[in-house]
Amino acid sequence: MIFAQWRARRASKALIEQILGEIVAAARRPALYQALGVPDDIDGRFELLTLHAGLVLRRLSALGGLADAIAQDLVNSVFTHFDDTLREMGFSDIAVAKRLKAMGGAFYGRNAAYAAALDGGSAVNLAAALARNVYGKAAKDKARAAEALSRHVALLDADLATIPIGTFATGRFRFPPGSIPAADCNE
């Protein structure tokens, strides 16, 4: 009995690591940084990881049931990843706790804004949220890049909406490639 529980827990951990690995790989696609001008720094990487994780969590939430448990484990894994990254950067325990709290608020706030725009079918609102969060102070100069990124995100969301729970639950999940359109990032 104990061995069966241990094996199930180990299998669950491997499954979550596989899904997180797909999310991280999708968030680190070079074209996002090169073609769309996403800042290739800690903030830009946080923004894209938050975005891609949020899209997967959005799909899992829509599936319900077993997907809810996968989603919770995935959130825990994402924040463990954030914690590990901060510690590798040399932050103290107190600083890590403060930053994780801020990152949690940012993670949920951004994904709520993206979900609202996607649910409302508003490319304008999605591009505005992406410009504000991903490009920050350079948002005005990156309007075309934010629009291109919003088209990519909408396509990813549509592709993810076709993925059944079995794909997630059996470790066969692969993040859809989407389509990273070229944008004049030097507007």
Side-chain angles (χ1 to χ4, degrees):
M1 178 87 158
I2 293 173
F3 184 66
Q5 289 175 341
W6 177 82
R7 283 181 46 180
R9 185 173 178 182
R10 185 167 170 82
S12 175
K13 184 176 180 181
L15 174 74
I16 298 305
E17 287 176 2
Q18 185 272 330
I19 295 170
L20 181 59
E22 287 291 318
I23 292 168
V24 170
R28 290 187 179 166
R29 288 183 180 142
L32 293 168
Y33 301 93
Q34 295 164 354
L36 299 182
V38 173
D40 192 5
D41 57 19
I42 186 114
D43 293 329
R45 288 177 181 226
F46 169 78
E47 293 300 339
L48 289 186
L49 184 60
T50 293
L51 171 64
H52 287 81
L55 290 170
V56 171
L57 291 168
R58 177 177 160 81
R59 175 57 182 154
L60 291 169
S61 177
L63 290 168
L66 171 63
D68 291 336
I70 293 172
Q72 184 58 59
D73 287 347
L74 182 58
V75 168
N76 294 344
S77 186
V78 166
F79 279 88
T80 297
H81 177 79
F82 291 157
D83 183 283
D84 291 345
T85 299
L86 291 171
R87 290 178 191 286
E88 286 173 8
M89 293 173 65
F91 288 96
S92 69
D93 289 346
I94 293 171
V96 167
K98 287 180 182 178
R99 287 195 178 246
L100 281 177
K101 183 176 180 179
M103 291 169 90
F107 181 89
Y108 290 110
R110 283 156 171 72
N111 282 311
Y114 302 149
L118 288 165
D119 289 343
S122 177
V124 171
N125 289 348
L126 182 58
L130 290 166
R132 182 177 58 251
N133 296 322
V134 174
Y135 298 104
K137 292 179 183 176
K140 291 179 184 175
D141 298 332
K142 297 290 186 177
R144 279 193 225 142
E147 290 168 7
L149 181 57
S150 74
R151 288 189 297 275
H152 173 65
V153 169
L155 181 60
L156 287 176
D157 187 58
D159 289 347
L160 285 165
T162 67
I163 297 176
I165 185 61
T167 301
F168 289 102
T170 58
R172 294 177 299 158
F173 172 71
R174 298 295 175 266
F175 211 98
S179 175
I180 301 172
D184 181 5
C185 297
N186 301 316
E187 299 174 50

